[in-house]
Amino acid sequence: MAVVHRVMEFVLLALALVSKVTGLNPTFWWPTFPDGGAYCLSWRLAVEANNLRAWRTVPPQCLFYVEKYMTEGQYEKDLNLVIDQIRTYVNQIVPSDDSLDAWILDIDDTCISNVGYYKEKKYGCDPYDPVGFRTWALKGACPAIRSVLGLFRDLIGRGFKVILITGRDEQTLGRATLDNLQTQGFVGYEQLIMRTEAKKLVAEGYRIWGNVGDQWSDLQGEVSGNRTFKLPNPMYYVP
Amino acid sequence: MAVVHRVMEFVLLALALVSKVTGLNPTFWWPTFPDGGAYCLSWRLAVEANNLRAWRTVPPQCLFYVEKYMTEGQYEKDLNLVIDQIRTYVNQIVPSDDSLDAWILDIDDTCISNVGYYKEKKYGCDPYDPVGFRTWALKGACPAIRSVLGLFRDLIGRGFKVILITGRDEQTLGRATLDNLQTQGFVGYEQLIMRTEAKKLVAEGYRIWGNVGDQWSDLQGEVSGNRTFKLPNPMYYVP
């Protein structure tokens, strides 16, 4: 049996090589990791289920794993399944005519993507770099996350007031963020506010039906909404 | 390139066959599923992140996936990583000497396992069967989840009052549950209470440091504790 195991290991290695050379990679779950990615998958699951908190960097042994996850399709699949769930939920809501039916969307890695930036930061294996992030955000060049843009438009079309909430600093990044959102098609939202001001929304009488973010801190707190949806993000943690 | 792809598909098929015949399966993430398990992985992630709610059964196309997940190691790996996180957190707490430092553990699929029962229910692909579950639970034969039993003992050793909370019906399953826990080594806990009575704990002055359960409904609500930990369970959903 040990021989069979060895042969299989060899074939797997050969396949990994073929995959590398040809660029063909039929599935993300190729056993190209020491333990088939099992540890990094456990790690990622713990992040998404809010079991791992206040982590500063992606474990170095998961660099290749998270890179593949973010760039080879599984991230998008995970994201799209959540968007499908949101649509199912949204379709059950009948907004009333008082214009107070609201929906909250986070901005970074919810509406627009920072994967391009994190690519240069070893997909989160490098520590947080506030200056570097500000430089990136000032470019106003974060691309829309397509499926969230579709959801955004549908929500507005169905009569929801869409409220964007961000932890970005208004003073330094306000203008760039507004421009970035507009360029990427996020047009027609009700307001863009800083997270700290979020509690005003409830005072203003909004019924917050949903809250979508890539960080649990987006979803927990005084204004969490009737339902929360956690988008995947294994690259960084915001307390 | 199409030829290379075909050849790779063939080799993968051959490998899957070898793996089936020899029983050797170096990693859970073998591409033995139509899409490499990508959909079922997205589904499972959505379940664990509380994005999918009120689902009644595992999608039929994920039967084989969930079976492999539960029985071939990844479930245990995911679970153990959470237990590691709990220990890290517990080690930072200095219990005071007023005997009010408390910790909540759910029972089903947290302290003791129902995987043996769900094996007969197609790992959750069959709908919930209250009579069948009662018959199973009355046997009092659910095995301990080893890593949780270890945590349970450590918590007690460190001076925490461990409180077990269950949604099981006291009238019909009370005796069998007590016996089951004792047989499996869960000895020395403070009390075993029904979930609906949980709010009494806060009135009694306990500081609830942690709350561990396999269902989000265990962790959310009036008594959630200072930190919550979600153990994996892709087999069923409890509202």
Side-chain angles (χ1 to χ4, degrees), chain A residues 29 41-42 51 78 230, chain B residues 29 41-42 51 78 227 230:
Chain A
W29 296 114
L41 178 60
S42 290
N51 289 324
D78 289 355
K230 168 71 176 72
Chain B
W29 297 114
L41 178 59
S42 290
N51 289 323
D78 289 355
R227 262 199 71 167
K230 168 71 174 73

Side-chain angles (χ1 to χ4, degrees), chain A:
Chain A
M1 280 321 228
V3 176
V4 179
H5 209 160
R6 276 291 176 83
V7 170
M8 281 168 73
E9 273 180 359
F10 173 79
V11 175
L12 283 171
L13 205 72
L15 273 174
L17 206 70
V18 170
S19 142
K20 191 105 187 163
V21 171
T22 61
L24 287 173
N25 206 342
T27 142
F28 170 64
W29 296 114
W30 270 56
T32 40
F33 306 98
D35 63 346
Y39 169 74
C40 299
L41 178 60
S42 290
W43 179 85
R44 181 165 70 82
L45 186 78
V47 165
E48 297 304 336
N50 205 19
N51 289 324
L52 240 156
R53 299 189 192 177
W55 53 275
R56 283 161 191 266
T57 51
V58 170
Q61 69 267 40
C62 297
L63 164 58
F64 188 40
Y65 176 96
V66 172
E67 178 180 8
K68 284 177 86 68
Y69 173 70
M70 293 307 296
T71 61
E72 293 190 9
Q74 191 66 35
Y75 165 71
E76 255 185 300
K77 285 192 175 100
D78 289 355
L79 188 82
N80 291 343
L81 189 138
V82 183
I83 303 293
D84 286 348
Q85 291 302 315
I86 298 176
R87 285 183 192 282
T88 304
Y89 169 64
V90 167
N91 290 339
Q92 293 161 357
I93 303 171
V94 183
S96 55
D97 46 15
D98 60 7
S99 295
L100 288 171
D101 294 288
W103 192 281
I104 297 175
L105 292 177
D106 170 55
I107 294 180
D108 283 297
D109 294 297
T110 298
C111 290
I112 53 179
S113 173
N114 293 307
V115 176
Y117 170 74
Y118 277 91
K119 186 185 172 185
E120 306 303 319
K121 297 292 176 183
K122 291 198 197 132
Y123 291 93
C125 288
D126 285 347
Y128 179 58
D129 169 8
V131 177
F133 184 77
R134 200 189 311 131
T135 310
W136 156 265
L138 275 172
K139 290 182 195 159
C142 306
I145 295 179
R146 305 303 304 176
S147 51
V148 178
L149 180 57
L151 172 70
F152 171 91
R153 287 174 171 155
D154 285 0
L155 285 167
I156 291 174
R158 292 180 71 91
F160 287 91
K161 303 291 179 192
V162 175
I163 294 155
L164 305 183
I165 302 191
T166 178
R168 286 188 176 194
D169 180 51
E170 201 167 17
Q171 208 70 30
T172 52
L173 295 177
R175 188 73 254 154
T177 305
L178 288 168
D179 290 350
N180 197 153
L181 288 165
Q182 178 153 24
T183 321
Q184 290 298 313
F186 289 91
V187 174
Y189 53 84
E190 184 70 6
Q191 37 179 327
L192 187 162
I193 55 177
M194 312 307 287
R195 192 163 307 283
T196 45
E197 303 167 36
K199 47 188 168 246
K200 281 197 308 191
L201 291 175
V202 176
E204 287 168 14
Y206 285 113
R207 279 179 297 281
I208 300 165
W209 286 97
N211 186 346
V212 183
D214 68 301
Q215 299 288 327
W216 279 97
S217 56
D218 300 337
L219 309 177
Q220 293 174 326
E222 293 172 45
V223 185
S224 68
N226 189 45
R227 261 199 73 167
T228 60
F229 296 92
K230 168 71 176 72
L231 301 187
N233 184 353
M235 300 183 301
Y236 58 89
Y237 179 89
V238 179

